[in-house]
Amino acid sequence: MTDQQRLVIARPSGRTSAAEDGLSALLAAYHLRTQAEKGEAVADVDDLPDRYRAEISDPWTAFGHDAVLVARLGDAAVGCLVVTAPVEGQSEIKRLWTDPAVRGRGIASGLLEAALAHTAEHGVGTVRLSVWQWRTGAISLYERFGFSVTESWDARDGLVCMRRTAA
C-alpha cells in the first residue's frame, strides 16, 4: 500500500461475505490481540469465547442493528468500528481496530469522525465506550475527540469507561 491511496470509510452491505470485505479478519485480529493483552492469549479464533467467535463468523448477525464501519485503503480493509443502535438517545462505540501495519495514517481518527457523524445524524445525544487502561494511545485519541472518563458501567478490572455528550 502506498500513502497515495485514499482512505474510504464505508458501511458494507450485509449481503457481502464478511470474509470477502475483510471485516471478519479485522475482528479476529482485534479479539486475538485483546485476549493476549489481557494475559489470556489463545492460539487461534477457535479458542476465543463464544460471543467473540460469533462476531467473527457472522458480524452481520452479531451487529445486525448496529452501524458497522470499515476503513479501506485501496482494496484492503484496514480498520473497523461498530456504533450500536441508539437506546434512549445513547449509542456505544465498540471494536475500534486499525491494522498495525497501517497505524499512524489517521485511520482510527477517520473511523471516529464517521461514527460521530453517524450518531449526530441519528440524534444520538451521548456516545459512550470502554477501553482497556493499557491502551493509552486509544484513550488519548478518544480524549482528543471530546470523550472523558466517567463512572464505570462495567466491573471488569482494567476497563476505562468514557462518555461524550453532543454539543
Side-chain angles (χ1 to χ4, degrees):
M1 284 184 269
T2 68
D3 288 329
Q4 309 300 355
Q5 292 176 314
R6 191 170 63 103
L7 177 66
V8 176
I9 310 292
R11 290 183 63 184
S13 165
R15 292 173 290 220
T16 62
S17 161
E20 289 173 14
D21 63 27
L23 180 57
S24 289
L26 291 167
L27 290 168
Y30 170 89
H31 286 300
L32 289 169
R33 177 71 161 276
T34 300
Q35 288 299 110
E37 289 175 351
K38 290 190 301 187
E40 302 169 7
V42 296
D44 60 36
V45 169
D46 292 335
D47 297 325
L48 287 168
D50 290 344
R51 67 185 181 278
Y52 300 147
R53 284 197 325 269
E55 288 179 17
I56 295 163
S57 67
D58 188 2
W60 304 122
T61 298
F63 302 118
H65 299 290
D66 305 326
V68 178
L69 306 177
V70 176
R72 302 187 75 76
L73 284 174
D75 291 334
V78 295
C80 64
L81 179 149
V82 175
V83 181
T84 63
V87 175
E88 296 179 9
Q90 180 172 268
S91 287
E92 187 169 353
I93 289 177
K94 303 172 118 183
R95 310 300 183 252
L96 174 58
W97 178 256
T98 301
D99 182 330
V102 295
R103 289 190 179 157
R105 295 188 189 184
I107 294 165
S109 293
L111 285 163
L112 271 174
E113 286 173 8
L116 294 173
H118 171 82
T119 59
E121 289 169 11
H122 289 85
V124 174
T126 302
V127 180
R128 70 182 198 167
L129 58 86
S130 57
V131 58
W132 295 104
Q133 67 186 12
W134 57 81
R135 290 187 171 160
T136 56
I139 292 169
S140 294
L141 174 67
Y142 295 137
E143 289 174 337
R144 286 194 305 274
F145 276 81
F147 287 86
S148 57
V149 175
T150 189
E151 185 177 330
S152 180
W153 59 81
D154 191 315
R156 292 179 286 173
D157 286 338
L159 204 58
V160 176
C161 293
M162 302 181 82
R163 184 179 314 270
R164 178 185 192 267
T165 304

